């Protein structure tokens, strides 16, 4: 009775599929209640009315709520071109692995501890390095001028950022489109 | 041509071929066989039918059936009796079924199925669900917004001055 054997095997496969899929779905859903992919968060936020947004932000502790509100205001006041560029950078950032994203956050913490004056220099150098082709960038990082211009910590931050950040988005157009939405 | 021959209804056209079947089986009465033979001489349809039927009979005559063993009935009844005493699972799975290889095989298949389910990302889970705007708003978590804004702040700080926009921190 070979058909009986096939029937049992098929039954087992079907049972496995039927049970494994919901378990996996539940596991994913359990990552966080009401989980929304990060790249959709700002888009969802932009659809909220001021009252809804306030209600949501009120769930945060006072200090965090204040900072978040301030950041939102700044974001909304950005020129459309800059906002569009930031949206692209954010989407590219979301495309990185969680490990890479965390690596960038760690580097940014170190970057934030540098004085404002040096941060300005680091930013300028970072943008310059990111716009270079890899060979030229490697030559620049290896040259004496670069070594003398930045200390060990700064060089490490710069190198880490250049290696971890996604390629910069293409140059923005001259005129930005009117856009009432937040990033994304 | 006799009156009977003239008045005979054609068995094929009237849809009553029994007379022809009897003729081919050689069981028709001599008189009827004679009438049919005369009819077939002038009716090609009936002639063809009778010829085909005769070939069947010839084939059957040529066939030698296997001799039935003397204990056929005894063995048949013994088997029927044994079948009625078999358990439900024995009847479902058959005599040649063995649990050991079947379980191994099923286990292997189940493992492959589970592996496929775990490796292949189910789209219905990964894709953001299509919800109404109201539902979406309700699901949005303040901490998610906070984290997203922190990341935006970081990216803005790192790329400040490249877009012509404000370099002021968020």
């Amino acid at each position: 009775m070979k058909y009986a054997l096939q029937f049992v095997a098929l039954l087992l496969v079907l049972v496995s599929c039927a049970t494994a899929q919901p378990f996996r779905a539940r596991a994913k859903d359990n990552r966080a209640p009401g989980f929304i992919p990060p790249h959709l968060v700002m888009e969802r936020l932009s659809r909220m009315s001021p009252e809804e947004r306030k209600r949501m932000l009120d769930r945060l502790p006072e200090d965090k709520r204040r900072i978040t509100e301030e950041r939102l205001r700044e974001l909304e006041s950005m020129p459309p071109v800059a906002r569009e560029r930031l949206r692209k950078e954010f989407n590219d950032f979301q495309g990185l692995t969680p490990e890479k994203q965390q690596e960038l956050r760690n580097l940014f913490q170190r970057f934030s501890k540098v004085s404002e004056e040096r941060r300005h220099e680091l930013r300028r150098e970072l943008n310059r390095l990111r716009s270079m082709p890899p060979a030229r960038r490697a030559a620049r990082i290896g040259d004496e001028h670069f070594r003398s211009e930045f200390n060990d910590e700064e060089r490490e931050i710069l190198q880490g950022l250049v290696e971890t950040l996604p390629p910069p988005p293409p140059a923005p157009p001259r005129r930005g489109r009117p856009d009432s939405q937040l990033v994304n | 041509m006799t009156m009977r021959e003239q008045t005979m209804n054609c068995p094929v056209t009237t849809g009553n071929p029994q007379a022809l079947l009897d003729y081919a089986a050689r069981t028709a009465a001599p008189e009827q066989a004679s009438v049919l033979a005369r009819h077939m001489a002038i009716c090609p349809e009936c002639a063809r039918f009778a010829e085909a039927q005769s070939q069947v009979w010839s084939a059957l005559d040529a066939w030698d059936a296997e001799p039935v063993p003397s204990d056929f009935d005894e063995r048949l009844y013994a088997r029927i009796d044994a079948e009625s005493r078999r358990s439900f699972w024995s009847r479902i799975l058959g005599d040649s079924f063995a649990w050991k290889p079947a379980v191994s095989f099923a286990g292997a298949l189940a493992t492959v199925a589970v592996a496929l389910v775990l490796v292949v990302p189910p789209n219905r889970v990964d894709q953001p669900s299509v919800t109404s705007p109201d539902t979406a708003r309700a699901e949005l978590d303040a901490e998610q917004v906070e984290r997203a804004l922190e990341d935006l702040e970081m990216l803005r700080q790192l790329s400040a001055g490249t877009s012509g926009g404000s370099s002021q921190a968020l």
Side-chain angles (χ1 to χ4, degrees):
Chain A
M1 282 260 191
K2 62 179 180 182
Y3 294 116
L5 185 61
Q6 288 171 357
F7 173 73
V8 171
L10 183 65
L11 199 67
L12 276 170
V13 170
L14 289 175
V15 168
S16 303
C17 290
T19 53
Q21 188 78 351
F23 276 127
R24 183 174 161 78
R26 276 202 291 277
K28 283 244 172 191
D29 289 345
N30 285 343
R31 276 187 301 197
F35 178 80
I36 295 176
H39 66 283
L40 293 180
V41 168
M42 302 312 289
E43 185 264 340
R44 299 275 171 97
L45 186 69
S46 69
R47 282 200 245 141
M48 284 180 155
S49 69
E51 293 76 26
E52 287 170 325
R53 194 186 294 186
K54 183 177 181 310
R55 222 172 18 246
M56 180 200 63
L57 293 177
D58 279 348
R59 288 181 227 144
L60 288 172
E62 173 62 26
D63 54 339
K64 285 188 176 181
R65 185 181 57 77
R66 200 168 36 76
I67 293 169
T68 304
E69 282 174 343
E70 178 65 21
R71 283 176 177 167
L72 274 172
R73 267 195 297 276
E74 291 288 344
L75 196 61
E76 285 169 323
S77 67
M78 280 176 79
V81 176
R83 198 189 306 161
E84 176 63 15
R85 185 185 169 88
L86 189 57
R87 184 190 68 80
K88 284 178 183 159
E89 292 221 50
F90 185 63
N91 283 350
D92 290 344
F93 174 77
Q94 296 304 330
L96 296 176
T97 62
E99 293 77 21
K100 287 274 181 193
Q101 289 182 12
Q102 193 51 48
E103 200 179 323
L104 264 182
R105 291 184 190 112
N106 295 343
L107 284 165
F108 179 66
Q109 278 186 358
R110 288 165 68 182
F111 172 87
S112 303
K113 286 176 187 161
V114 177
S115 70
E116 176 53 43
E117 188 187 344
R118 292 304 296 164
R119 270 211 302 271
H120 178 73
E121 291 302 317
L122 285 176
R123 216 178 270 131
R124 203 171 57 173
E125 184 64 26
L126 176 66
N127 292 328
R128 194 186 302 163
L129 288 170
R130 286 181 78 195
S131 63
M132 287 177 182
R136 205 170 144 214
R137 186 191 303 154
R140 164 73 183 156
I141 288 173
D143 78 10
E144 195 55 42
H145 183 68
F146 183 79
R147 284 170 188 277
S148 63
E149 207 171 334
F150 301 100
N151 64 30
D152 290 348
E153 169 70 356
E154 290 170 341
R155 284 204 304 273
E156 215 171 285
I157 292 171
L158 277 172
Q159 259 182 288
L161 288 172
V162 165
E163 284 164 13
T164 317
L165 276 168
R174 283 279 183 194
R175 296 172 63 189
R177 60 179 171 76
D179 184 1
S180 62
Q181 284 203 334
L182 293 170
V183 170
N184 211 345
Chain B
M1 192 176 286
T2 65
M3 181 64 75
R4 174 130 190 204
E5 199 178 323
Q6 286 173 329
T7 57
M8 178 183 180
N9 291 322
C10 174
V12 170
T13 53
T14 56
N16 182 25
Q18 187 57 48
L20 288 171
L21 291 173
D22 291 343
Y23 175 84
R26 296 178 200 130
T27 56
E31 189 190 351
Q32 189 189 13
S34 170
V35 170
L36 278 168
R38 283 197 295 275
H39 173 72
M40 282 186 291
I42 58 167
C43 179
E45 284 92 357
C46 286
R48 269 198 299 274
F49 186 96
E51 173 62 22
Q53 194 62 25
S54 296
Q55 283 176 6
V56 172
W57 279 108
S58 300
L60 287 171
D61 288 344
W63 179 60
D64 285 329
E66 287 286 321
V68 178
S70 57
D71 63 342
F72 178 83
D73 286 352
E74 190 183 338
R75 282 165 52 198
L76 175 65
Y77 289 124
R79 196 164 168 185
I80 291 170
D81 189 39
E83 187 72 17
S84 64
R85 282 200 307 261
R86 284 173 69 194
S87 71
F88 171 78
W89 285 110
S90 174
R91 268 179 278 166
I92 292 287
L93 300 174
D95 288 331
S96 59
F97 182 80
W99 280 107
K100 209 171 177 180
V103 169
S104 306
F105 180 61
L109 278 178
T111 307
V112 170
V114 170
L116 277 174
V117 168
L118 293 177
V119 169
V120 178
N123 290 338
R124 67 185 168 95
V125 175
D126 286 345
Q127 282 174 351
S129 57
V130 179
T131 52
S132 69
D134 287 341
T135 313
R137 286 172 202 146
E139 287 171 355
L140 195 52
D141 179 31
E143 287 184 8
Q144 275 184 275
V145 174
E146 187 199 355
R147 277 195 298 273
L149 284 169
E150 275 176 8
D151 289 337
L152 279 164
E153 155 76 357
M154 172 184 74
L155 295 169
R156 172 116 184 252
Q157 284 253 7
L158 291 175
S159 62
T162 58
S163 62
S166 167
S167 65
Q168 188 184 352
L170 289 176

